[in-house]
Amino acid sequence: MIPTLFPRKSLAALAVLSLACLSAQAQVEITDPPAGHNFGKVPLNATFSTQYFSVFNRSSAPLQLGTMISSGAALATCAGIGCPVVAQGDFLIPAGSDGCSNAVLQPNQGCSTLVAFTPTAPGARISQFIVQSRAGGALATYPLHGTGISTPLDCVLDWAEKSFPQLLTTPTGTATVSPFQLRCYANGTMCLGADTAVPTFDQPSVYFYQTQPTPSVQRLGYLSTFAQAAQCQP
C-alpha cells in the first residue's frame, strides 16, 4: 500500500480550492469601455483624453486584485513609418483616480479606474490596460489606442490630401523622423512634413521629400503660411 501525505478529503478540498482560484482569475472582466474603444486624436501638449475602465469579479468567491498598470511589454508592432508605436507612458492613471488597485471585490462587485491619454509624439500610440493579480500576473487586459496630433501640421496635411487626392495616395499616419514630423504617400515614395520635431532658429517650414528618381528634399514654405491657407485653428 502506498502511503499518502494527505487524506483524500484534504486532497479533494485542495482541488476545489485550486479550481476556485482558477475560476476567479478566469472571471475577472473589464466591462467598460465597450470593445474597440479608441481615445481618438489628441493634440500634443494639450488636455488629455480620459476613460474609466470598470473591472468586475464574475466568480463566486471574493477576489483581491493587484495593481492596475499600462504596459506594452507583450505587444508587437511593425517598424515602418506610420506604424503604431508602443507607448505605455502615454496612457497613465492620474493620481487619486485608481479605484481598483489592491481592492477586494466580492462576487459580482466592480470597481473603476481612470486612464488618461497624453500623447508625447504624433501618430498612432498603443499600450495595454492590465488588471494584475497579487502575484503580478495578468487577470484581464484591454488594448489601448490613441493618436497624437501635431498641430497645425496634421491639419495642413489633411488639407493637402483633399486638395491633391490623385497625387497624395495611400497616406501613412503622421510620425517622427527627426528632425521632421511627416506623413508619407504612394508606398513611401514621397513624404510631406515639417521641421517641428526639434527646436529651430527659424519658424517651422514644410518640406517635400521624394525618393524617386533621385532622393531630394524641397522646402515649400513656412508652416504658418500653409496653416493660414488651410484655415487651421491656432
Side-chain angles (χ1 to χ4, degrees):
M1 180 177 179
I2 300 176
T4 59
L5 297 176
F6 301 99
R8 290 188 178 182
K9 288 185 178 180
S10 298
L11 291 174
L14 287 173
V16 170
L17 179 60
S18 298
L19 288 174
C21 292
L22 291 173
S23 177
Q25 292 187 6
Q27 294 183 42
V28 172
E29 181 184 8
I30 300 175
T31 61
D32 193 57
H37 171 75
N38 193 305
F39 282 87
K41 297 181 178 181
V42 178
L44 307 184
N45 303 317
T47 303
F48 46 62
S49 174
T50 60
Q51 173 64 46
Y52 273 103
F53 285 73
S54 299
V55 179
F56 274 80
N57 175 15
R58 297 304 191 194
S59 72
S60 58
L63 174 66
Q64 183 169 13
L65 304 178
T67 307
M68 307 297 109
I69 63 170
S70 165
S71 175
L75 294 176
T77 184
C78 56
I81 294 175
C83 290
V85 174
V86 177
Q88 62 190 36
D90 287 6
F91 302 88
L92 298 176
I93 300 173
S97 301
D98 186 354
C100 292
S101 287
N102 304 314
V104 177
L105 298 182
Q106 299 300 319
N108 292 317
Q109 184 182 17
C111 60
S112 293
T113 292
L114 187 71
V115 177
F117 174 53
T118 309
T120 57
R125 320 287 284 174
I126 58 174
S127 185
Q128 284 191 109
F129 176 70
I130 300 179
V131 181
Q132 291 187 307
S133 68
R134 293 288 290 169
L139 297 177
T141 62
Y142 191 102
L144 303 174
H145 300 273
T147 302
I149 298 298
S150 177
T151 55
L153 178 59
D154 274 287
C155 172
V156 169
L157 295 178
D158 290 344
W159 167 78
E161 290 173 13
K162 294 178 182 178
S163 302
F164 307 98
Q166 294 181 338
L167 176 65
L168 304 178
T169 60
T170 60
T172 65
T174 308
T176 299
V177 181
S178 187
F180 302 103
Q181 290 176 344
L182 51 80
R183 194 183 298 177
C184 295
Y185 305 89
N187 298 319
T189 59
M190 63 181 71
C191 303
L192 281 173
D195 53 346
T196 53
V198 296
T200 58
F201 292 104
D202 198 3
Q203 59 176 305
S205 295
V206 175
Y207 293 86
F208 176 73
Y209 171 72
Q210 192 169 10
T211 61
Q212 297 176 355
T214 303
S216 62
V217 177
Q218 179 183 358
R219 180 181 175 278
L220 301 181
Y222 286 123
L223 177 59
S224 59
T225 302
F226 282 96
Q228 185 176 4
Q231 297 182 345
C232 298
Q233 297 295 322

